[in-house]
């Protein structure tokens, strides 16, 4: 049985003793048994009531005439309409003091029932309002509201001119088709995040100057906003991380330019995780209250001449949260790059509203599940393909969600714009630049083992060997020849590196591997760690008379080469493979 709904009439109560009369506000008083109007000051009128639908706040657009008769306008937060708050108008020229404040407040409140109401919003992206999904952009879709912020996100120029540029400079060239699909993926992140559990799309374009990175960024931003560093969805690393986080908005793709400005030696692990999650760390106010940080769901394109991942820890989670496109020329030619920049400067803001309108149309038709179902289909298709190619690993399903957003975006863009992005080409482009397709790179323990070998290679002179006669100064461990052992992985090992607990921790920290226990656990499972069943540590001897707790790490033959211990440091076969060491030391 359905519950009966109660019909209730709500009346806005007005103060009948207070009024605005002949251009002044005042109060009626009983004098000699009759009501007399007592003026208190020049009247303040409500021109409009601004209703902010995203946070429920109201702002009163007030006007009055100052002592010179000049009209003054002020935007006044409704929550400040108190006897104390209204005194702020004194400085703007309003006739009010502590004795008359309550009368002025009442006179303004009395006008609210008849005032014109306009709806605005400061937030962008999808919202649940009045029990339905709406999109808040330059103009809201699904409800009536106008953007009140300072970003240049409205449509500008000619949609036909922008589309023609896309057809001639983007379609048929996979790198730019990929960037356009990433732009559309931002709005899908916002719409699908809670439905299918996706995170923000983070794409790094890493290449030298004059390879079209900036043009690609302009194309991405132009899908929703003006490609400009002023009042738009573009930032750079000269800004603070807090400022960057606060400037990113939901649904609208964001360009984070000049990653090369990231200070060398500064760890960006936390920053990349915050970008991926779309959530800034909470902070405490002076009153020790928790202040929420920025929140956003979108696609973020980072351009740089060097990879930001080089300044982050070696967490596998970063590999599945970041798509890195390295050493690619992103535009067909220099002329193409110039045209993309020129056209997008004057024609922008069309694609995101078109995608939003398409999604809202599906919602209103009761077909919101269409996109969810298609997203899941794409995920399944890509996982099957990965297994058929022998590239499936424990991280495939997580990274496939990121790829599926881009592929679904490309399909929607084709339908909406009537163009032909090469879906298969974009898939192959993603596969070619995947950070987790290579099992050795996806496995953090393998990356840590490679780094250990690189470290020993570079600092070989600081390691004891079986033939060492004297204890090395600043000794960091020992390289020991052993019998050939077959490991769990099927590899063979005939050398071990013995290091103390402190030394291994320092080595792993230098390589960006903060979780030593995770590495040791995996090494033990794979047979790389030679230890007892119930522990990681062993008794090791680096030099005669020097026994202490440490680790015995087996080195696979294919990693150590023919004879891990060279005759001299200069003959070390691993010297040419020290890129990572140099990067960490820098």
């Amino acid at each position: 049985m359905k519950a009966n709904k109660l019909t209730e009439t709500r009346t806005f109560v007005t103060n009948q003793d207070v009024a605005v009369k002949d251009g002044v506000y005042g109060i009626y008083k009983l004098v000699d048994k009759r009501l007399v109007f007592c003026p208190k000051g020049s009247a303040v009128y409500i021109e409009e009531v601004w209703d902010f639908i995203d946070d429920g706040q109201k702002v009163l657009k007030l006007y009055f005439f100052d002592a010179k008769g000049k009209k003054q306008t002020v935007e006044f937060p409704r929550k400040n309409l108190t006897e104390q708050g209204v005194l702020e108008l004194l400085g703007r020229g309003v006739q009010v003091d502590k004795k008359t404040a309550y009368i002025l407040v009442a006179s303004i409140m009395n006008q609210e029932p008849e005032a014109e109401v306009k709806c605005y919003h400061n937030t962008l992206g999808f919202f649940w309002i009045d029990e339905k999904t709406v999109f808040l952009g330059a103009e809201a879709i699904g409800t009536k509201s106008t953007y009140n912020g300072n970003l240049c996100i409205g449509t500008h120029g000619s949609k036909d001119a922008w589309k023609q540029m896309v057809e001639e400079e983007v379609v048929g060239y996979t790198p730019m088709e990929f960037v356009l699909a990433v732009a559309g993926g931002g709005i899908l992140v916002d719409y699908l995040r809670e439905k299918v559990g996706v995170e923000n799309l983070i794409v790094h374009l890493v290449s030298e100057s004059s390879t079209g990175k900036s043009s690609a960024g302009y194309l991405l931003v132009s899908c929703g906003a003006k490609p400009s560093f002023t009042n738009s969805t573009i930032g750079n690393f000269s800004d603070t991380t807090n400022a960057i986080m606060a400037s990113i908005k939901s649904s609208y793709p964001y360009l984070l330019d000049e990653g090369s400005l990231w200070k060398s030696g500064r760890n960006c692990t936390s920053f990349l995780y915050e970008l991926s999650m779309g959530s800034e760390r909470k902070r405490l106010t002076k009153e020790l209250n928790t202040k929420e940080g920025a929140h956003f769901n979108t696609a973020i394109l980072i351009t740089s001449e060097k990879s930001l991942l080089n300044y982050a820890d070696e967490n596998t989670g970063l590999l599945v949260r970041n798509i890195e496109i390295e050493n690619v020329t992103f535009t067909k030619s220099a002329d193409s790059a110039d045209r993309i920049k020129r056209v997008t400067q004057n024609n922008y803001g069309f694609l995101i509203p078109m995608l939003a309108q398409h999604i809202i149309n599906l919602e209103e038709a009761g077909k919101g599940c269409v996109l969810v179902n298609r997203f899941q289909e794409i995920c399944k298709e890509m996982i099957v393909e990965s297994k058929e190619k022998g590239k499936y690993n424990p991280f495939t399903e997580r990274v496939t969600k990121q790829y599926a957003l881009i592929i679904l975006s490309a399909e929607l863009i084709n339908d909406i714009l009537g163009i032909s992005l090469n879906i298969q080409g974009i898939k192959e482009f993603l596969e070619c630049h995947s950070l987790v397709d290579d099992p050795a790179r996806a496995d953090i323990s393998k990356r840590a083992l490679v780094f250990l070998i690189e470290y020993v290679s570079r600092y070989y002179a600081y390691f004891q060997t079986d033939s060492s006669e004297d204890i090395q100064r600043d000794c960091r461990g020992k390289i020991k020849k052993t019998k050939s052992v077959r490991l769990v992985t099927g590899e063979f090992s005939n050398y071990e590196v013995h290091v103390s607990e402190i030394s291994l921790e320092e080595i792993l920290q230098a390589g960006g591997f903060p979780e030593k226990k995770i590495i040791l656990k995996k090494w033990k499972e794979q047979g790389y760690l030679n230890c007892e069943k119930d522990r990681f540590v062993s008794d090791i001897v680096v030099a005669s008379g020097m026994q202490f707790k440490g680790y015995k790490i087996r080195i696979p033959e294919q990693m150590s080469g023919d004879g891990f211990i060279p005759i001299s440091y200069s003959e070390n076969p691993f010297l040419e493979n020290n890129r990572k060491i140099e990067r960490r030391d820098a």
Side-chain angles (χ1 to χ4, degrees):
M1 181 183 293
K2 293 184 179 180
N4 293 327
K5 293 184 178 180
L6 297 177
T7 302
E8 184 177 323
T9 301
R10 294 179 173 86
T11 302
F12 193 90
V13 177
T14 57
N15 190 326
Q16 301 300 318
D17 293 335
V18 173
V20 172
K21 189 175 181 180
D22 298 328
V24 296
Y25 72 92
I27 188 170
Y28 283 98
K29 292 186 177 181
L30 193 62
V31 179
D32 296 330
K33 297 184 179 182
R34 65 187 183 89
L35 287 175
V36 177
F37 181 74
C38 302
K40 298 298 181 182
S42 180
V44 177
Y45 301 94
I46 297 179
E47 185 171 316
E48 296 172 350
V49 176
W50 294 353
D51 186 0
F52 285 85
I53 64 174
D54 49 343
D55 62 8
Q57 297 296 316
K58 286 181 170 55
V59 172
L60 306 178
K61 186 178 181 182
L62 306 175
Y63 73 91
F64 58 92
F65 296 91
D66 63 18
K68 298 294 183 180
K70 184 178 179 181
K71 184 179 179 180
Q72 302 289 338
T73 304
V74 61
E75 297 169 12
F76 193 76
R78 177 65 171 73
K79 64 181 180 181
N80 291 346
L81 198 57
T82 63
E83 291 182 32
Q84 183 63 37
V86 81
L87 292 177
E88 295 177 13
L89 296 176
L90 180 63
R92 302 295 297 269
V94 172
Q95 289 182 292
V96 63
D97 57 29
K98 290 182 178 180
K99 293 181 179 180
T100 61
Y102 80 96
I103 303 174
L104 177 60
V105 168
S107 73
I108 295 174
M109 285 186 176
N110 284 349
Q111 300 174 54
E112 285 189 87
E114 303 300 324
E116 181 183 4
V117 177
K118 291 186 177 180
C119 293
Y120 292 97
H121 55 271
N122 288 316
T123 312
L124 299 176
F126 288 100
F127 260 71
W128 181 256
I129 297 176
D130 294 333
E131 300 185 347
K132 64 178 182 178
T133 300
V134 301
F135 180 79
L136 304 184
E139 294 293 334
I141 300 174
T143 190
K144 289 185 178 180
S145 183
T146 302
Y147 177 60
N148 190 59
N150 60 357
L151 296 180
C152 298
I153 60 168
T155 57
H156 179 84
S158 167
K159 181 175 72 174
D160 290 339
W162 183 83
K163 181 184 175 184
Q164 184 179 355
M165 177 274 297
V166 169
E167 291 175 332
E168 296 176 357
E169 308 298 343
V170 176
V171 176
Y173 190 65
T174 301
M176 289 302 278
E177 289 187 345
F178 165 77
V179 171
L180 184 62
V182 168
I187 195 171
L188 291 177
V189 171
D190 194 22
Y191 179 68
L192 295 174
R193 183 158 202 160
E194 300 301 326
K195 295 176 173 65
V196 295
V198 293
E199 294 183 340
N200 289 334
L201 274 174
I202 313 295
V203 177
H204 304 246
L205 305 188
V206 183
S207 63
E208 295 181 351
S209 181
S210 301
T211 54
K213 298 190 303 297
S214 295
S215 299
Y218 275 49
L219 173 69
L220 174 119
V221 172
S222 75
C223 294
K226 180 180 181 179
S228 168
F229 282 91
T230 303
N231 297 333
S232 189
T233 56
I234 300 181
N236 65 50
F237 283 91
S238 63
D239 301 325
T240 66
T241 54
N242 288 342
I244 291 170
M245 296 291 287
S247 65
I248 304 175
K249 308 301 179 184
S250 290
S251 284
Y252 285 78
Y254 186 85
L255 170 62
L256 189 48
D257 203 19
E258 297 296 341
S260 302
L261 293 175
W262 187 270
K263 293 182 180 178
S264 180
R266 182 183 171 199
N267 193 296
C268 67
T269 303
S270 177
F271 178 58
L272 290 177
Y273 272 111
E274 288 178 15
L275 285 180
S276 176
M277 293 183 291
S279 177
E280 190 180 12
R281 285 178 294 178
K282 295 179 180 179
R283 298 188 295 272
L284 289 179
T285 64
K286 294 180 180 179
E287 295 76 24
L288 300 181
N289 296 320
T290 302
K291 181 181 180 181
E292 292 288 338
H295 292 276
F296 49 84
N297 307 314
T298 190
I300 300 165
L301 189 74
I302 300 174
T303 63
S304 179
E305 292 186 21
K306 50 189 176 182
S307 173
L308 279 189
L309 294 176
N310 284 348
Y311 299 107
D313 292 339
E314 289 285 343
N315 298 345
T316 305
L318 289 178
L319 299 185
V320 299
R321 288 177 168 89
N322 292 267
I323 300 172
E324 186 173 273
I325 311 300
E326 194 169 9
N327 296 324
V328 167
T329 301
F330 296 97
T331 52
K332 293 188 288 187
S333 65
D335 289 341
S336 176
D338 290 340
R339 186 183 177 204
I340 291 170
K341 287 184 176 180
R342 185 174 63 254
V343 171
T344 56
Q345 280 290 311
N346 300 301
N347 308 276
Y348 53 81
F350 299 103
L351 182 60
I352 297 304
M354 292 173 73
L355 288 169
Q357 184 67 67
H358 178 75
I359 293 171
I360 294 299
N361 288 346
L362 289 174
E363 282 278 337
E364 292 177 346
K367 298 179 180 179
C369 61
V370 168
L371 294 182
V372 174
N373 293 340
R374 181 55 188 148
F375 172 83
Q376 293 172 339
E377 287 175 4
I378 295 171
C379 286
K380 291 177 182 178
E381 291 168 4
M382 297 186 77
I383 290 170
V384 169
E385 290 176 8
S386 181
K387 290 180 178 178
E388 290 174 349
K389 294 177 181 179
K391 294 186 176 182
Y392 183 86
N393 61 53
F395 310 107
T396 300
E397 298 195 18
R398 288 182 62 187
V399 78
T400 295
K401 285 188 172 184
Q402 303 292 92
Y403 297 169
L405 288 168
I406 296 171
I407 299 304
L408 178 56
S409 167
E411 292 180 352
L412 292 177
I413 291 172
N414 280 346
D415 292 340
I416 290 170
L417 292 182
I419 60 177
S420 300
L421 300 181
N422 185 344
I423 305 297
Q424 185 59 35
I426 295 174
K427 283 184 179 180
E428 292 172 358
F429 186 78
L430 282 165
E431 182 180 321
C432 177
H433 294 279
S434 172
L435 296 177
V436 297
D437 269 0
D438 181 2
R441 186 168 189 183
D443 188 340
I444 190 172
S445 63
K446 288 289 182 69
R447 298 201 306 275
L449 191 63
V450 169
F451 181 80
L452 175 65
I453 294 171
E454 292 177 350
Y455 186 94
V456 174
S457 298
R458 178 161 188 179
Y459 298 106
Y460 179 75
Y462 296 99
F463 284 81
Q464 298 287 117
T465 67
D466 291 331
S467 60
S468 299
E469 297 180 359
D470 300 322
I471 299 177
Q472 303 290 342
R473 184 178 180 183
D474 191 20
C475 179
R476 301 181 187 184
K478 182 175 183 178
I479 303 169
K480 184 176 179 60
K481 177 80 172 173
T482 65
K483 293 181 180 180
S484 183
V485 177
R486 185 182 179 90
L487 306 178
V488 175
T489 58
E491 301 165 295
F492 288 89
S493 170
N494 54 11
Y495 281 100
E496 289 182 350
V497 173
H498 293 187
V499 291
S500 68
E501 293 183 81
I502 294 176
S503 292
L504 181 62
E505 190 162 336
E506 290 176 349
I507 292 170
L508 293 179
Q509 288 284 347
F513 300 93
E515 297 297 332
K516 183 179 73 172
K517 288 184 179 179
I518 293 176
I519 304 297
L520 291 172
K521 182 176 182 294
K522 287 184 172 288
W523 278 352
K524 185 175 181 179
E525 292 171 352
Q526 296 160 339
Y528 298 132
L529 185 64
N530 181 10
C531 62
E532 300 295 330
K533 291 183 178 181
D534 60 343
R535 66 196 67 184
F536 295 144
V537 297
S538 304
D539 292 325
I540 63 173
V541 177
V542 172
S544 178
M546 293 178 60
Q547 178 173 310
F548 43 81
K549 297 292 184 181
Y551 305 101
K552 300 177 182 178
I553 303 155
R554 293 175 173 139
I555 306 300
E557 288 180 0
Q558 52 265 55
M559 289 188 179
S560 63
D562 184 16
F564 180 67
I565 306 175
I567 296 173
S568 67
Y569 181 68
S570 62
E571 297 175 5
N572 190 316
F574 298 99
L575 284 177
E576 72 277 8
N577 191 22
N578 285 325
R579 179 183 62 83
K580 197 174 206 179
I581 294 283
E582 291 169 355
R583 184 247 301 174
R584 293 297 179 189
D585 287 353

